[in-house]
């Protein structure tokens, strides 16, 4: 039951300079496919592009008046996100022994309650002039991805977390906005959520407008030993870092 105008299951086709209009899904990419998706226009679709456990390359695509003006992502293996349309995550994961590399200028937006579980490694290295942004789908940073004009505005805890379950990830020149969670009936979580003993490096970054900016699931000694912070600015969070250590 294929619901996409083009369904790519394996292989490495090139889809270029085409117009996708009024589809449920414009292009669906699965099963380790390695397509090149370049210079296309996606208009009035429910989802322009969807991919799961594949290795697509995106360049110079446009999204106009779709339900989601972005690339909907499920799970990822070792792959690279290029700066193109925003990537949209509901609940996704980076598999064990895999590395997700994110290039400068990429925007990743999370659906309500969205989580990215990192069981492998996340290497997100932006630049001072071209940062990588992790934010809410309601945030119009980089464009109106949820296609509702000004009807919804982003707030803290729109999405939950990037959750790190293994060591070796690097965040450099990133902006992280509107994540985290707290509540009587829900587990607390940081926009950056780090398991006890997991080592991670974060530098030259801005963490703003979250419930918890960073939540480390251990004590202050573990936080100091495992979470390397250099020139990280915090702004507008309810709690910048948990646990709060002297």
């Amino acid at each position: 039951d294929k619901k996409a105008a083009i369904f790519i299951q394996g292989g490495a086709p090139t889809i270029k300079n085409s117009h996708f209009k009024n589809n449920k899904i414009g292009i669906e990419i699965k099963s380790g496919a390695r397509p090149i998706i370049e210079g296309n226009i996606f208009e009035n679709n429910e989802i322009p592009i969807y991919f799961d456990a594949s290795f697509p390359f995106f360049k110079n695509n446009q999204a106009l008046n779709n339900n989601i003006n972005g690339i909907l992502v499920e799970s990822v293996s070792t792959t690279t996100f290029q700066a193109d349309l925003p990537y949209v995550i509901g609940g996704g994961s980076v598999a064990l022994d895999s590395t997700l590399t994110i290039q400068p200028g990429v925007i990743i937006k999370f659906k309500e309650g969205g989580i990215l579980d990192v069981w492998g490694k996340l290497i997100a290295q932006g630049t001072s002039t071209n940062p990588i942004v992790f934010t809410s789908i309601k945030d119009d940073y980089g464009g109106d991805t949820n296609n509702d004009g000004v009807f919804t505005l982003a707030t803290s805890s729109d999405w939950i977390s990037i959750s790190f379950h293994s060591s070796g990830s690097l965040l450099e020149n990133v902006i992280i906005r509107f994540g985290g969670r707290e509540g009587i009936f829900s587990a607390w979580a940081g926009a950056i959520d780090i398991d006890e003993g997991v080592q991670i490096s974060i530098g030259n970054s801005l963490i703003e407008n979250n419930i918890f900016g960073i939540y480390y699931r251990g004590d202050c000694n573990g936080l100091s030993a495992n979470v390397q912070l250099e020139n990280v600015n915090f702004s507008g969070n309810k709690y910048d870092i948990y646990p709060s250590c002297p």
Side-chain angles (χ1 to χ4, degrees):
D1 183 19
K2 308 299 189 298
K3 299 178 180 178
I6 293 180
F7 181 79
I8 303 171
Q9 188 169 18
T14 296
I15 313 296
K16 190 172 182 179
N17 299 331
S18 299
H19 195 163
F20 294 82
K21 190 171 183 179
N22 299 325
N23 302 288
K24 185 175 181 63
I25 301 174
I27 301 174
E28 182 172 355
I29 307 164
K30 303 189 78 171
S31 302
R34 298 176 179 271
I36 296 171
I37 312 296
E38 181 179 355
N40 302 289
I41 298 172
F42 298 87
E43 184 178 4
N44 294 332
N45 305 283
E46 290 189 24
I47 301 169
I49 303 168
Y50 166 91
F51 84 86
D52 179 22
S54 297
F55 314 96
F57 176 84
F58 300 110
K59 183 178 179 181
N60 294 336
N61 296 290
Q62 299 179 57
L64 307 171
N65 200 37
N66 304 279
N67 286 9
I68 296 175
N69 288 316
I71 301 163
L72 185 61
V73 181
E74 194 68 32
S75 63
V76 297
S77 301
T78 296
T79 193
T80 300
F81 284 3
Q82 304 85 22
D84 193 64
L85 301 175
Y87 294 80
V88 178
I89 295 175
S93 62
V94 180
L96 186 67
D97 297 325
S98 297
T99 299
L100 172 58
T101 301
I102 303 177
Q103 294 183 345
V106 167
I107 298 172
I108 296 176
K109 296 190 177 184
F110 291 86
K111 290 184 174 182
E112 185 174 353
I115 297 175
L116 178 63
D117 281 302
V118 181
W119 300 98
K121 294 179 182 179
L122 175 63
I123 306 298
Q125 291 181 280
T127 67
S128 59
T129 57
N130 213 10
I132 294 164
V133 180
F134 299 87
T135 188
S136 164
I137 195 171
K138 297 177 184 177
D139 184 2
D140 287 347
Y141 187 108
D144 184 12
T145 306
N146 65 346
N147 201 46
D148 71 344
V150 296
F151 185 74
T152 56
L153 299 175
T155 60
S156 59
S157 80
D158 274 350
W159 57 282
I160 298 176
S161 68
I162 308 167
S163 296
F164 294 92
H165 307 293
S166 63
S167 296
S169 290
L170 170 64
L171 305 178
E172 182 80 18
N173 284 300
V174 303
I175 299 171
I176 298 178
R177 314 173 70 182
F178 302 118
R181 181 176 65 180
E182 71 169 341
I184 297 173
F185 301 108
S186 59
W188 289 9
I192 300 174
D193 200 272
I194 307 164
D195 284 355
E196 184 174 8
V198 168
Q199 296 180 340
I200 182 174
S201 178
I202 307 169
N204 300 312
S205 296
L206 173 62
I207 301 174
E208 63 178 355
N209 300 325
N210 305 283
I211 294 293
F212 292 94
I214 297 173
Y215 194 109
Y216 178 74
R217 298 186 177 278
D219 60 21
C220 288
N221 289 334
L223 174 64
S224 177
N226 293 300
V227 182
Q228 180 181 346
L229 302 177
E230 182 176 350
N231 192 29
V232 176
N233 295 312
F234 296 88
S235 176
N237 305 294
K238 186 171 183 179
Y239 310 96
D240 292 336
I241 303 176
Y242 182 91
S244 178
C245 302

